[in-house]
Amino acid sequence: MSQLRLAVILNPHSNRQRAAHQASHIMAMLSHFGLEASLFKTTHVGHATSLAQQCVAEGTWNGIIAAGGDGTINEIVNGMAGSQLPLSFVPLGTGNDFVKMLKLPSNSIVEAIRAIANNQLRQIDLGMINEHWFINGVGIGLDANVAIEAQKLKRIKGGLVYIIAVLKSILRYEARDLLIETDDLTLQQRINMATVGNGGYHGGGFWVTPAAKIDDGLLDVCLTGEQSRWSMVRDSARVRQGTHGDLPSVTMLKTRTFKLYSERGVPVHVDGEVFSASLHDISISIQPAALTIRV
């Protein structure tokens, strides 16, 4: 097999700027495993998308490596979705939800690059929200408020960021009256949180949609009705373990389309990054086999 030529798109700001110190190690390990690679560092929001678009247009690369967190992966996906170029992962973010969900190495650069060198290709689905691609999931309501709170915690790292953000959101967020439509039902309900997953692992450690599969052509939806704050704290352990599906306040669905309307507006995150502080109309769909990954 000829040597792979890979473009490494690295976000130096991932994990509170810590990713910037990993660039030389990543490039050395790629060379060690016999992979030809060039490094491209992002400098601003949206830069990873334009870099990925450039790589696709050039037509000389054998793949792209996303070196960063879930937000970096999302930007790259939005620059290469629908192309034949495979995407690989060197996780450098705070949560690394998508990589963990794939059961890929999430805390070892060496093992992540070893997986890339194994050159196993797999086609997966992608989701789309209001004409924007996502690879892992969309959080609406409390789930998105967690992402907003996490952004404010500049000096804290790792999973503790999400634990603190969850607790702050539980104390402050108010449920919304939502109109929801899926393939099979229409419901109007006061909802605390709606998570729409292509993958199952969200929020830096929570199996919110544990039955989700990234290649089944379906979205998995978890709806949580209005609860007391104590109930939310109590049930968060069940959500972390993925055993919350039988709770009275929880509804689990599978669908190809998901539409939501909120008169008041709801916060939304996409792949862990704040998408909007207040959206009124949301349309989500699944696009089967829209991306090839090298894992």
Side-chain angles (χ1 to χ4, degrees), residues 35-236:
L35 300 170
E36 180 186 349
S38 297
L39 178 66
F40 303 89
K41 294 183 180 180
T42 63
T43 58
H44 54 270
V45 174
H47 193 194
T49 297
S50 59
L51 287 171
Q53 290 171 335
Q54 177 183 325
C55 290
V56 171
E58 287 173 356
T60 59
W61 301 95
N62 301 118
I64 295 174
I65 297 174
D70 294 310
T72 304
I73 294 172
N74 179 272
E75 284 199 12
I76 293 171
V77 164
N78 274 276
M80 64 183 295
S83 74
Q84 298 302 308
L85 212 57
L87 178 62
S88 305
F89 313 96
V90 175
L92 301 176
T94 304
N96 300 312
D97 284 323
F98 183 72
V99 169
K100 288 177 183 175
M101 189 273 305
L102 286 176
K103 296 182 170 57
L104 294 175
S106 61
N107 55 5
S108 170
I109 290 173
V110 173
E111 292 307 312
I113 293 173
R114 190 191 307 276
I116 296 169
N118 286 339
N119 197 30
Q120 299 298 307
L121 300 181
R122 177 183 180 186
Q123 281 198 311
I124 67 168
D125 306 333
L126 290 176
M128 180 171 280
I129 171 172
N130 295 6
E131 305 304 317
H132 183 93
W133 294 102
F134 65 90
I135 194 169
N136 192 44
V138 173
I140 301 164
L142 177 69
D143 196 3
N145 204 75
V146 171
I148 292 171
E149 292 293 344
Q151 278 190 342
K152 301 174 185 177
L153 300 171
K154 302 296 185 183
R155 297 184 178 182
I156 302 172
K157 63 180 181 178
L160 184 59
V161 170
Y162 292 101
I163 294 171
I164 294 173
V166 166
L167 292 175
K168 290 177 70 175
S169 295
I170 287 172
L171 290 173
R172 298 175 181 176
Y173 186 75
E174 296 180 1
R176 307 284 200 273
D177 291 312
L178 304 180
L179 175 63
I180 294 171
E181 295 181 11
T182 70
D183 294 348
D184 302 317
L185 63 83
T186 299
L187 61 89
Q188 190 160 7
Q189 187 177 337
R190 194 162 176 81
I191 295 290
N192 209 33
M193 181 179 82
T195 301
V196 182
N198 182 37
Y201 197 49
H202 309 272
F206 293 85
W207 283 102
V208 187
T209 51
K213 297 179 180 179
I214 56 173
D215 56 4
D216 64 353
L218 294 170
L219 297 164
D220 279 56
V221 180
C222 175
L223 302 175
T224 304
E226 189 172 25
Q227 296 174 273
S228 69
R229 285 174 170 77
W230 162 242
S231 295
M232 285 188 278
V233 172
R234 180 196 63 204
D235 293 343
S236 62

